[in-house]
mmCIF file of all heavy atoms in Angstrom:
data_model
loop_
_atom_site.group_PDB
_atom_site.id
_atom_site.type_symbol
_atom_site.label_atom_id
_atom_site.label_comp_id
_atom_site.label_asym_id
_atom_site.label_seq_id
_atom_site.Cartn_x
_atom_site.Cartn_y
_atom_site.Cartn_z
ATOM 1 N N CYS A 131 105.857 96.222 87.889
ATOM 2 C CA CYS A 131 105.521 95.883 86.502
ATOM 3 C C CYS A 131 104.166 95.183 86.517
ATOM 4 O O CYS A 131 103.800 94.561 87.520
ATOM 5 C CB CYS A 131 106.613 94.947 85.994
ATOM 6 S SG CYS A 131 106.329 94.238 84.371
ATOM 7 N N SER A 133 103.558 92.512 85.209
ATOM 8 C CA SER A 133 103.844 91.078 85.416
ATOM 9 C C SER A 133 103.783 90.731 86.909
ATOM 10 O O SER A 133 103.437 89.599 87.271
ATOM 11 C CB SER A 133 105.219 90.712 84.858
ATOM 12 O OG SER A 133 105.261 90.953 83.477
ATOM 13 N N HIS A 153 110.737 92.897 90.227
ATOM 14 C CA HIS A 153 111.852 92.512 89.349
ATOM 15 C C HIS A 153 112.321 93.713 88.529
ATOM 16 O O HIS A 153 112.771 93.551 87.394
ATOM 17 C CB HIS A 153 111.415 91.342 88.454
ATOM 18 C CG HIS A 153 110.211 91.660 87.627
ATOM 19 N ND1 HIS A 153 108.924 91.490 88.082
ATOM 20 C CD2 HIS A 153 110.092 92.172 86.381
ATOM 21 C CE1 HIS A 153 108.073 91.878 87.149
ATOM 22 N NE2 HIS A 153 108.761 92.304 86.115
ATOM 23 N N GLU A 154 112.166 94.904 89.105
ATOM 24 C CA GLU A 154 112.755 96.114 88.499
ATOM 25 C C GLU A 154 113.536 96.779 89.621
ATOM 26 O O GLU A 154 113.114 97.773 90.195
ATOM 27 C CB GLU A 154 111.651 97.039 87.961
ATOM 28 C CG GLU A 154 110.954 96.474 86.746
ATOM 29 C CD GLU A 154 109.955 97.426 86.081
ATOM 30 O OE1 GLU A 154 109.487 98.367 86.745
ATOM 31 O OE2 GLU A 154 109.642 97.216 84.903
ATOM 32 N N TRP A 179 113.937 90.853 85.287
ATOM 33 C CA TRP A 179 113.078 89.667 85.398
ATOM 34 C C TRP A 179 113.896 88.394 85.606
ATOM 35 O O TRP A 179 113.483 87.473 86.299
ATOM 36 C CB TRP A 179 112.237 89.528 84.122
ATOM 37 C CG TRP A 179 111.448 88.265 84.075
ATOM 38 C CD1 TRP A 179 111.798 87.106 83.448
ATOM 39 C CD2 TRP A 179 110.200 88.007 84.725
ATOM 40 N NE1 TRP A 179 110.826 86.147 83.651
ATOM 41 C CE2 TRP A 179 109.837 86.675 84.425
ATOM 42 C CE3 TRP A 179 109.334 88.786 85.514
ATOM 43 C CZ2 TRP A 179 108.657 86.093 84.893
ATOM 44 C CZ3 TRP A 179 108.152 88.197 85.976
ATOM 45 C CH2 TRP A 179 107.835 86.867 85.670
ATOM 46 N N CYS A 240 113.079 95.976 83.548
ATOM 47 C CA CYS A 240 112.160 95.041 82.883
ATOM 48 C C CYS A 240 111.395 95.768 81.770
ATOM 49 O O CYS A 240 111.520 95.419 80.601
ATOM 50 C CB CYS A 240 111.194 94.370 83.847
ATOM 51 S SG CYS A 240 110.037 93.298 82.963
HETATM 52 ZN ZN1 ZN B 682 108.266 93.056 84.282
#
Side-chain angles (χ1 to χ4, degrees):
C131 173
S133 299
H153 58 273
E154 290 186 339
W179 173 264
C240 177

